[in-house]
mmCIF file with all atom_site columns, all heavy atoms in Angstrom:
data_model
loop_
_atom_site.group_PDB
_atom_site.id
_atom_site.type_symbol
_atom_site.label_atom_id
_atom_site.label_alt_id
_atom_site.label_comp_id
_atom_site.label_asym_id
_atom_site.label_entity_id
_atom_site.label_seq_id
_atom_site.pdbx_PDB_ins_code
_atom_site.Cartn_x
_atom_site.Cartn_y
_atom_site.Cartn_z
_atom_site.occupancy
_atom_site.B_iso_or_equiv
_atom_site.pdbx_formal_charge
_atom_site.auth_seq_id
_atom_site.auth_comp_id
_atom_site.auth_asym_id
_atom_site.auth_atom_id
_atom_site.pdbx_PDB_model_num
ATOM 1   N N   . SER A 1 71 ? 45.451 292.621 88.638  1.00 94.00 ? 973 SER A N   1
ATOM 2   C CA  . SER A 1 71 ? 44.731 291.546 89.311  1.00 94.00 ? 973 SER A CA  1
ATOM 3   C C   . SER A 1 71 ? 44.987 291.680 90.772  1.00 94.00 ? 973 SER A C   1
ATOM 4   O O   . SER A 1 71 ? 46.267 292.046 91.184  1.00 94.00 ? 973 SER A O   1
ATOM 5   C CB  . SER A 1 71 ? 45.177 290.216 88.727  1.00 94.00 ? 973 SER A CB  1
ATOM 6   O OG  . SER A 1 71 ? 44.600 289.177 89.413  1.00 94.00 ? 973 SER A OG  1
ATOM 7   N N   . SER A 1 72 ? 44.153 291.209 91.596  1.00 94.00 ? 974 SER A N   1
ATOM 8   C CA  . SER A 1 72 ? 44.539 291.228 93.120  1.00 94.00 ? 974 SER A CA  1
ATOM 9   C C   . SER A 1 72 ? 44.167 289.787 93.598  1.00 94.00 ? 974 SER A C   1
ATOM 10  O O   . SER A 1 72 ? 43.049 289.227 93.157  1.00 94.00 ? 974 SER A O   1
ATOM 11  C CB  . SER A 1 72 ? 43.717 292.227 93.763  1.00 94.00 ? 974 SER A CB  1
ATOM 12  O OG  . SER A 1 72 ? 44.198 293.488 93.447  1.00 94.00 ? 974 SER A OG  1
ATOM 13  N N   . LEU A 1 73 ? 44.916 289.269 94.501  1.00 94.00 ? 975 LEU A N   1
ATOM 14  C CA  . LEU A 1 73 ? 44.694 287.989 95.093  1.00 94.00 ? 975 LEU A CA  1
ATOM 15  C C   . LEU A 1 73 ? 44.371 288.175 96.568  1.00 94.00 ? 975 LEU A C   1
ATOM 16  O O   . LEU A 1 73 ? 45.113 288.929 97.227  1.00 94.00 ? 975 LEU A O   1
ATOM 17  C CB  . LEU A 1 73 ? 45.906 287.097 94.995  1.00 94.00 ? 975 LEU A CB  1
ATOM 18  C CG  . LEU A 1 73 ? 45.768 285.590 95.547  1.00 94.00 ? 975 LEU A CG  1
ATOM 19  C CD1 . LEU A 1 73 ? 44.968 284.833 94.487  1.00 94.00 ? 975 LEU A CD1 1
ATOM 20  C CD2 . LEU A 1 73 ? 47.251 285.020 95.637  1.00 94.00 ? 975 LEU A CD2 1
ATOM 21  N N   . TYR A 1 74 ? 43.304 287.671 96.990  1.00 92.00 ? 976 TYR A N   1
ATOM 22  C CA  . TYR A 1 74 ? 42.743 287.900 98.339  1.00 92.00 ? 976 TYR A CA  1
ATOM 23  C C   . TYR A 1 74 ? 42.877 286.656 99.238  1.00 92.00 ? 976 TYR A C   1
ATOM 24  O O   . TYR A 1 74 ? 42.283 285.599 98.891  1.00 92.00 ? 976 TYR A O   1
ATOM 25  C CB  . TYR A 1 74 ? 41.234 288.381 98.306  1.00 92.00 ? 976 TYR A CB  1
ATOM 26  C CG  . TYR A 1 74 ? 41.010 289.537 97.519  1.00 92.00 ? 976 TYR A CG  1
ATOM 27  C CD1 . TYR A 1 74 ? 40.558 289.350 96.126  1.00 92.00 ? 976 TYR A CD1 1
ATOM 28  C CD2 . TYR A 1 74 ? 41.276 290.891 97.872  1.00 92.00 ? 976 TYR A CD2 1
ATOM 29  C CE1 . TYR A 1 74 ? 40.344 290.438 95.385  1.00 92.00 ? 976 TYR A CE1 1
ATOM 30  C CE2 . TYR A 1 74 ? 40.923 291.939 97.115  1.00 92.00 ? 976 TYR A CE2 1
ATOM 31  C CZ  . TYR A 1 74 ? 40.543 291.722 95.831  1.00 92.00 ? 976 TYR A CZ  1
ATOM 32  O OH  . TYR A 1 74 ? 40.305 292.828 95.051  1.00 92.00 ? 976 TYR A OH  1
ATOM 33  N N   . LEU A 1 75 ? 43.688 286.782 100.281 1.00 91.00 ? 977 LEU A N   1
ATOM 34  C CA  . LEU A 1 75 ? 43.829 285.724 101.150 1.00 91.00 ? 977 LEU A CA  1
ATOM 35  C C   . LEU A 1 75 ? 43.140 286.031 102.508 1.00 91.00 ? 977 LEU A C   1
ATOM 36  O O   . LEU A 1 75 ? 43.604 286.999 103.157 1.00 91.00 ? 977 LEU A O   1
ATOM 37  C CB  . LEU A 1 75 ? 45.248 285.468 101.468 1.00 91.00 ? 977 LEU A CB  1
ATOM 38  C CG  . LEU A 1 75 ? 46.094 285.128 100.177 1.00 91.00 ? 977 LEU A CG  1
ATOM 39  C CD1 . LEU A 1 75 ? 47.648 285.272 100.420 1.00 91.00 ? 977 LEU A CD1 1
ATOM 40  C CD2 . LEU A 1 75 ? 45.838 283.804 99.596  1.00 91.00 ? 977 LEU A CD2 1
ATOM 41  N N   . THR A 1 76 ? 42.162 285.332 102.905 1.00 89.00 ? 978 THR A N   1
ATOM 42  C CA  . THR A 1 76 ? 41.322 285.653 104.033 1.00 89.00 ? 978 THR A CA  1
ATOM 43  C C   . THR A 1 76 ? 41.580 284.613 105.147 1.00 89.00 ? 978 THR A C   1
ATOM 44  O O   . THR A 1 76 ? 41.759 283.407 104.743 1.00 89.00 ? 978 THR A O   1
ATOM 45  C CB  . THR A 1 76 ? 39.868 285.762 103.753 1.00 89.00 ? 978 THR A CB  1
ATOM 46  O OG1 . THR A 1 76 ? 39.384 284.608 103.192 1.00 89.00 ? 978 THR A OG1 1
ATOM 47  C CG2 . THR A 1 76 ? 39.563 286.933 102.801 1.00 89.00 ? 978 THR A CG2 1
ATOM 48  N N   . ALA A 1 77 ? 41.482 285.064 106.368 1.00 90.00 ? 979 ALA A N   1
ATOM 49  C CA  . ALA A 1 77 ? 41.588 284.200 107.499 1.00 90.00 ? 979 ALA A CA  1
ATOM 50  C C   . ALA A 1 77 ? 42.958 283.278 107.353 1.00 90.00 ? 979 ALA A C   1
ATOM 51  O O   . ALA A 1 77 ? 42.812 282.074 107.335 1.00 90.00 ? 979 ALA A O   1
ATOM 52  C CB  . ALA A 1 77 ? 40.367 283.274 107.763 1.00 90.00 ? 979 ALA A CB  1
ATOM 53  N N   . SER A 1 78 ? 44.042 283.936 107.234 1.00 91.00 ? 980 SER A N   1
ATOM 54  C CA  . SER A 1 78 ? 45.187 283.260 106.769 1.00 91.00 ? 980 SER A CA  1
ATOM 55  C C   . SER A 1 78 ? 45.688 282.117 107.760 1.00 91.00 ? 980 SER A C   1
ATOM 56  O O   . SER A 1 78 ? 45.380 282.147 108.889 1.00 91.00 ? 980 SER A O   1
ATOM 57  C CB  . SER A 1 78 ? 46.425 284.136 106.685 1.00 91.00 ? 980 SER A CB  1
ATOM 58  O OG  . SER A 1 78 ? 46.664 284.860 107.886 1.00 91.00 ? 980 SER A OG  1
ATOM 59  N N   . GLN A 1 79 ? 46.229 281.077 107.133 1.00 93.00 ? 981 GLN A N   1
ATOM 60  C CA  . GLN A 1 79 ? 46.697 279.914 107.956 1.00 93.00 ? 981 GLN A CA  1
ATOM 61  C C   . GLN A 1 79 ? 48.218 279.803 107.769 1.00 93.00 ? 981 GLN A C   1
ATOM 62  O O   . GLN A 1 79 ? 48.759 280.397 106.852 1.00 93.00 ? 981 GLN A O   1
ATOM 63  C CB  . GLN A 1 79 ? 46.048 278.644 107.402 1.00 93.00 ? 981 GLN A CB  1
ATOM 64  C CG  . GLN A 1 79 ? 44.521 278.674 107.454 1.00 93.00 ? 981 GLN A CG  1
ATOM 65  C CD  . GLN A 1 79 ? 43.952 277.415 106.762 1.00 93.00 ? 981 GLN A CD  1
ATOM 66  O OE1 . GLN A 1 79 ? 44.605 276.467 106.423 1.00 93.00 ? 981 GLN A OE1 1
ATOM 67  N NE2 . GLN A 1 79 ? 42.647 277.532 106.299 1.00 93.00 ? 981 GLN A NE2 1
ATOM 68  N N   . LEU A 1 80 ? 48.773 279.094 108.728 1.00 95.00 ? 982 LEU A N   1
ATOM 69  C CA  . LEU A 1 80 ? 50.332 279.024 108.559 1.00 95.00 ? 982 LEU A CA  1
ATOM 70  C C   . LEU A 1 80 ? 50.705 278.501 107.333 1.00 95.00 ? 982 LEU A C   1
ATOM 71  O O   . LEU A 1 80 ? 51.749 278.844 106.739 1.00 95.00 ? 982 LEU A O   1
ATOM 72  C CB  . LEU A 1 80 ? 50.752 278.057 109.682 1.00 95.00 ? 982 LEU A CB  1
ATOM 73  C CG  . LEU A 1 80 ? 50.588 278.493 111.196 1.00 95.00 ? 982 LEU A CG  1
ATOM 74  C CD1 . LEU A 1 80 ? 51.056 277.499 112.126 1.00 95.00 ? 982 LEU A CD1 1
ATOM 75  C CD2 . LEU A 1 80 ? 51.344 279.830 111.448 1.00 95.00 ? 982 LEU A CD2 1
ATOM 76  N N   . SER A 1 81 ? 49.857 277.591 106.677 1.00 94.00 ? 983 SER A N   1
ATOM 77  C CA  . SER A 1 81 ? 50.179 276.888 105.386 1.00 94.00 ? 983 SER A CA  1
ATOM 78  C C   . SER A 1 81 ? 50.175 277.926 104.138 1.00 94.00 ? 983 SER A C   1
ATOM 79  O O   . SER A 1 81 ? 50.596 277.523 103.136 1.00 94.00 ? 983 SER A O   1
ATOM 80  C CB  . SER A 1 81 ? 49.218 275.776 105.188 1.00 94.00 ? 983 SER A CB  1
ATOM 81  O OG  . SER A 1 81 ? 47.874 276.288 105.027 1.00 94.00 ? 983 SER A OG  1
ATOM 82  N N   . TYR A 1 82 ? 49.591 279.043 104.462 1.00 95.00 ? 984 TYR A N   1
ATOM 83  C CA  . TYR A 1 82 ? 49.592 280.024 103.388 1.00 95.00 ? 984 TYR A CA  1
ATOM 84  C C   . TYR A 1 82 ? 50.963 280.684 103.160 1.00 95.00 ? 984 TYR A C   1
ATOM 85  O O   . TYR A 1 82 ? 51.234 281.431 102.105 1.00 95.00 ? 984 TYR A O   1
ATOM 86  C CB  . TYR A 1 82 ? 48.610 281.185 103.670 1.00 95.00 ? 984 TYR A CB  1
ATOM 87  C CG  . TYR A 1 82 ? 47.142 280.846 103.478 1.00 95.00 ? 984 TYR A CG  1
ATOM 88  C CD1 . TYR A 1 82 ? 46.804 279.518 103.380 1.00 95.00 ? 984 TYR A CD1 1
ATOM 89  C CD2 . TYR A 1 82 ? 46.166 281.709 103.661 1.00 95.00 ? 984 TYR A CD2 1
ATOM 90  C CE1 . TYR A 1 82 ? 45.411 279.135 103.187 1.00 95.00 ? 984 TYR A CE1 1
ATOM 91  C CE2 . TYR A 1 82 ? 44.819 281.478 103.515 1.00 95.00 ? 984 TYR A CE2 1
ATOM 92  C CZ  . TYR A 1 82 ? 44.456 280.189 103.416 1.00 95.00 ? 984 TYR A CZ  1
ATOM 93  O OH  . TYR A 1 82 ? 43.085 279.864 103.243 1.00 95.00 ? 984 TYR A OH  1
ATOM 94  N N   . SER A 1 83 ? 51.980 280.442 104.064 1.00 96.00 ? 985 SER A N   1
ATOM 95  C CA  . SER A 1 83 ? 53.197 281.092 103.851 1.00 96.00 ? 985 SER A CA  1
ATOM 96  C C   . SER A 1 83 ? 53.872 280.663 102.646 1.00 96.00 ? 985 SER A C   1
ATOM 97  O O   . SER A 1 83 ? 53.804 279.436 102.253 1.00 96.00 ? 985 SER A O   1
ATOM 98  C CB  . SER A 1 83 ? 54.160 280.691 105.110 1.00 96.00 ? 985 SER A CB  1
ATOM 99  O OG  . SER A 1 83 ? 53.680 281.360 106.279 1.00 96.00 ? 985 SER A OG  1
ATOM 100 N N   . GLY A 1 84 ? 54.518 281.535 101.969 1.00 97.00 ? 986 GLY A N   1
ATOM 101 C CA  . GLY A 1 84 ? 55.271 281.219 100.717 1.00 97.00 ? 986 GLY A CA  1
ATOM 102 C C   . GLY A 1 84 ? 55.445 282.385 99.969  1.00 97.00 ? 986 GLY A C   1
ATOM 103 O O   . GLY A 1 84 ? 55.016 283.556 100.322 1.00 97.00 ? 986 GLY A O   1
ATOM 104 N N   . THR A 1 85 ? 55.904 282.219 98.731  1.00 97.00 ? 987 THR A N   1
ATOM 105 C CA  . THR A 1 85 ? 56.026 283.300 97.738  1.00 97.00 ? 987 THR A CA  1
ATOM 106 C C   . THR A 1 85 ? 54.926 283.164 96.723  1.00 97.00 ? 987 THR A C   1
ATOM 107 O O   . THR A 1 85 ? 54.845 282.118 96.075  1.00 97.00 ? 987 THR A O   1
ATOM 108 C CB  . THR A 1 85 ? 57.516 283.384 97.162  1.00 97.00 ? 987 THR A CB  1
ATOM 109 O OG1 . THR A 1 85 ? 58.517 283.465 98.092  1.00 97.00 ? 987 THR A OG1 1
ATOM 110 C CG2 . THR A 1 85 ? 57.537 284.549 96.109  1.00 97.00 ? 987 THR A CG2 1
#
Side-chain angles (χ1 to χ4, degrees):
Chain A
S973 177
S974 295
L975 187 71
Y976 303 98
L977 303 166
T978 57
S980 59
Q981 303 171 18
L982 296 177
S983 62
Y984 286 11
S985 291
T987 302

